[in-house]
Amino acid sequence: MKSGSAARGFFGSQLGVVLASAGSAVGLGNIWRFPTEVGKGGGAAFILIYFGFILLFSMPIMISEFVIGRSARSNAIGAFQKLAPGKPWVAAGIMGVLAGFHVLSYYSVVAGWTLYYTVQSAIGQLGGQSSTDFAAVFNAFVSHPWQPVVYLALFLLLTHFVVSRGIERGIERYSKLMMPLLFMIIVLLVCFSLMMPGAADGIRFLLKPDLNEVTPDVILGAMGQAFFSLSVGIGCLVTYASYFSNETRLVGSAMSVCAIDTLVAVLSGFIIFPTVFSVGISPDAGPGLVFITLPNVFALSFSEMPVAGYIFSLLFYVLLLLAALTSSISMHEICTAFISEHFNKGRRTAAAIVTIICLMLGCFCSLSFGPWKDVTILGRGFFDLFDYTVTKFLMPLGGLLITLFVGWWLDRELVERQLTNDGSISIRAMKPLLFLIRWVAPVGILLIFLNELFPLFMKS
Ligand code: PFF
C-alpha cells in the first residue's frame, strides 16, 4: 500500500493545534450526550467518575495518538504502516478509518436535527407550544421520510466545505473562528441559566455527589463518555497530530484539550440542569433532553419574556451546531486524509468521496427513525447499530491497541523524543505517564471491553 504521496498540510500555530483538537473533542458529546448521561447517572457522582476516566484513560490515549501521528506524519492507516511495516498493527488504523465513516454518518443525523432546530428557533417556531406538542413535533420530524435527510445533507455539505479547504485555510481557520464564538455563547447561556428562579436545585444536582447512585452501569457509561467526548481511539487525533509542527508540545496540548473539553461539558451541565430544574422537569429525560425537554423549558420559562426566550433558544442551538461542526470536520478528516494519501487523490476529490459515502450511510441511519424503523440487524436499527459499534466496540478496541502500540511496541527512545520534542523540553511526570500508557489504560479498557462481550461479568 502506498501512503503519503499527496502534499501534506500543517497547523500554522500552537493556538491552532489546541483549538482544532479541542474543536474535535467539544461537540454533541459535551452538550447533548454528557448532560443526558449525567441526568441518567445521578449527577455529581457520575461527573466525579468521569473526571477519573479522562485522567486515567482518555488523556494517555490522546497523548499516544499524538506520538503516533507526529512521528509518522501520515493518515491513520499509513501511520501504522510506516511505524510497523508489514505488522498486523495496521488493523488499528483500518478500524479507525472505518469508524470515522460510521461515526460521521450517524453523528451528522443528530447534527442535521440541530440544524433544523436552529432554523426553527431563528424563525420563531419554538415558542408557544405545550410539552406534548414538542414531543410530537420532534417525533414527526425525525420520522419524516425526507426532511431529516435534507438537513443531514446540508450539514454534511457544511462539513465538506471546511475540510475541502485544507488544514490551515480550512480546519485551523474555522476552528479559530468557531471555538471563541462557542465559548462566548456558553458563558452567556450559563449566566442566563443561573439567573432562573429555582436554579439552585440544578446546581445542587451537579455539585453534590450521591454515591448511592453509582452502579456498574453508571461507571461504564462514564467510561464510554470519556472516550467519545475526547474523540480518542479511532485515529482522529493521529490524523490531526500528523499536521502538528515539531515544536508542538504534545503533553501540554493534550492537557489543554482535556481541560477545555471537560470545562465545556461541565458548563453545559450548568446551562441545562438549572434550567430544567427551574421548571420542575425530571433531569433524566434521555436523548430527547435537548430536542424535547429544552424547547419546552424555553417556552415555559420565557412565556412572559418572549424576546429573551427567543435569544436563549437561538443561542443554544447555534452553540450546538458550532460544536457539532468542529467535531464533524475532524471525523471527515480521518477519512479524507486516508483517501487522499492512499489513493493519491487531490483533497477536494477525496473530500467529495467521503461526503458522498457518509451521505448514503447517513440516509440509512436517518431512515431508521422513520420508514425503516422495522429494519434491524442484530436487533438494532441502523442508527443504533452504528452508535453501538463505534462507542462500544471500535473506540475501546482502538484505544487498547493504540496504548499497547505506544506503550509496548514502539521504541521507547522514539516515544520519549516525541514527548520531549527531541529533548528540548522536560516532562517531569514522564514515568507516571508511561505507566498510564503501558498499564492503567490498556487494563482498564480491557475490562470495559470484556464487559461488553460478556455482560454478566459486571452487571448492575
Ligand atoms: N468528541 C466528539 C463529541 O464529543 O461530540 C465526537 C467525536 C469526534 C468522536 C471525533 C470521534 C471523533 F473521531
Side-chain angles (χ1 to χ4, degrees):
M1 288 209 225
K2 58 185 180 298
S3 269
S5 38
R8 309 202 89 251
F10 272 99
F11 287 119
S13 62
Q14 173 69 24
L15 183 68
V17 163
V18 172
L19 290 185
S21 312
S24 167
V26 171
L28 294 174
N30 301 62
I31 305 163
W32 173 61
R33 205 169 187 273
F34 180 78
T36 308
E37 295 284 310
V38 172
K40 288 191 300 189
F46 176 94
I47 300 182
L48 279 181
I49 299 168
Y50 173 78
F51 285 167
F53 289 129
I54 295 278
L55 224 74
L56 299 179
F57 289 9
S58 307
M59 200 160 70
I61 303 174
M62 183 178 287
I63 293 172
S64 305
E65 291 203 29
F66 283 175
V67 167
I68 298 173
R70 192 175 62 178
S71 50
R73 299 223 173 275
S74 185
N75 62 80
I77 295 183
F80 286 96
Q81 288 175 326
K82 260 193 192 167
L83 297 175
K87 296 277 184 276
W89 289 108
V90 70
I94 297 174
M95 272 176 14
V97 172
L98 284 179
F101 278 109
H102 275 72
V103 77
L104 180 59
S105 305
Y106 81 85
Y107 196 87
S108 300
V109 172
V110 183
W113 301 346
T114 308
L115 183 57
Y116 172 78
Y117 272 75
T118 311
V119 173
Q120 291 298 302
S121 50
I123 59 176
Q125 283 297 308
L126 287 189
Q129 302 179 56
S130 71
S131 56
T132 24
D133 290 340
F134 282 117
V137 165
F138 177 71
N139 291 327
F141 173 68
V142 301
S143 59
H144 194 276
W146 56 264
Q147 272 184 4
V149 173
V150 171
Y151 283 92
L152 155 74
L154 287 174
F155 180 79
L156 272 172
L157 281 178
L158 277 178
T159 308
H160 174 88
F161 170 78
V162 177
V163 173
S164 59
R165 296 180 71 92
I167 306 306
E168 200 171 347
R169 284 180 47 237
I171 298 178
E172 178 169 1
R173 182 162 160 211
Y174 286 95
S175 301
K176 278 182 171 167
L177 206 81
M178 290 191 279
M179 291 303 283
L181 197 62
L182 188 140
F183 267 112
M184 271 160 30
I185 299 181
I186 289 186
V187 171
L188 262 177
L189 289 179
V190 171
C191 297
F192 255 134
S193 164
L194 293 183
M195 283 180 330
M196 296 213 151
D201 288 339
I203 299 173
R204 208 165 300 125
F205 180 73
L206 275 170
L207 295 184
K208 211 167 142 241
D210 176 0
L211 295 179
N212 294 327
E213 300 275 353
V214 179
T215 63
D217 275 350
V218 169
I219 297 177
L220 293 171
M223 284 199 244
Q225 178 62 21
F227 269 83
F228 187 79
S229 190
L230 286 175
S231 316
V232 293
I234 61 171
C236 174
L237 300 168
V238 169
T239 313
Y240 267 20
S242 71
Y243 310 125
F244 289 2
S245 77
N246 291 335
E247 285 73 46
T248 301
R249 292 166 176 250
L250 302 187
V251 179
S253 305
M255 283 166 60
S256 309
V257 174
C258 291
I260 293 174
D261 187 74
T262 309
L263 183 70
V264 171
V266 172
L267 288 179
S268 306
F270 275 103
I271 295 172
I272 289 177
F273 292 109
T275 325
V276 166
F277 273 86
S278 81
V279 288
I281 288 177
S282 163
D284 56 357
L289 191 68
V290 299
F291 296 109
I292 300 174
T293 314
L294 277 189
N296 187 17
V297 171
F298 296 148
L300 280 176
S301 40
F302 292 107
S303 51
E304 310 275 291
M305 299 175 285
V307 178
Y310 175 83
I311 298 174
F312 194 117
S313 72
L314 182 59
L315 281 181
F316 180 79
Y317 288 110
V318 170
L319 166 71
L320 206 57
L321 188 63
L322 287 176
L325 191 57
T326 54
S327 294
S328 64
I329 56 183
S330 70
M331 302 168 193
H332 200 297
E333 182 59 26
I334 310 175
C335 312
T336 300
F338 166 69
I339 292 192
S340 158
E341 294 178 1
H342 185 75
F343 297 104
N344 211 1
K345 298 271 177 242
R347 167 164 282 273
R348 278 169 202 275
T349 315
I353 295 171
V354 175
T355 303
I356 291 169
I357 296 177
C358 289
L359 181 58
M360 287 181 335
L361 293 175
C363 285
F364 283 97
C365 296
S366 182
L367 291 173
S368 70
F369 288 95
W372 292 356
K373 218 183 214 125
D374 299 325
V375 182
T376 56
I377 299 176
L378 302 173
R380 292 171 196 275
F382 285 106
F383 184 95
D384 266 1
L385 183 72
F386 279 29
D387 181 48
Y388 181 82
T389 325
V390 170
T391 54
K392 302 281 164 48
F393 184 74
L394 294 173
M395 279 185 152
L397 188 58
L400 175 66
L401 292 177
I402 285 166
T403 47
L404 288 177
F405 183 71
V406 172
W408 297 95
W409 203 88
L410 266 191
D411 178 29
R412 174 84 174 250
E413 203 190 308
L414 180 145
V415 175
E416 291 193 4
R417 273 210 328 268
Q418 280 297 331
L419 294 176
T420 59
N421 289 357
D422 272 328
S424 64
I425 48 174
S426 68
I427 305 285
R428 255 178 282 147
M430 181 70 89
K431 277 220 167 97
L433 177 60
L434 290 176
F435 181 72
L436 287 179
I437 295 177
R438 288 164 73 99
W439 291 104
V440 180
V443 170
I445 297 164
L446 204 63
L447 290 180
I448 324 174
F449 204 53
L450 285 177
N451 180 69
E452 285 308 319
L453 293 177
F454 310 104
L456 289 179
F457 173 66
M458 213 176 148
K459 225 175 159 0
S460 50

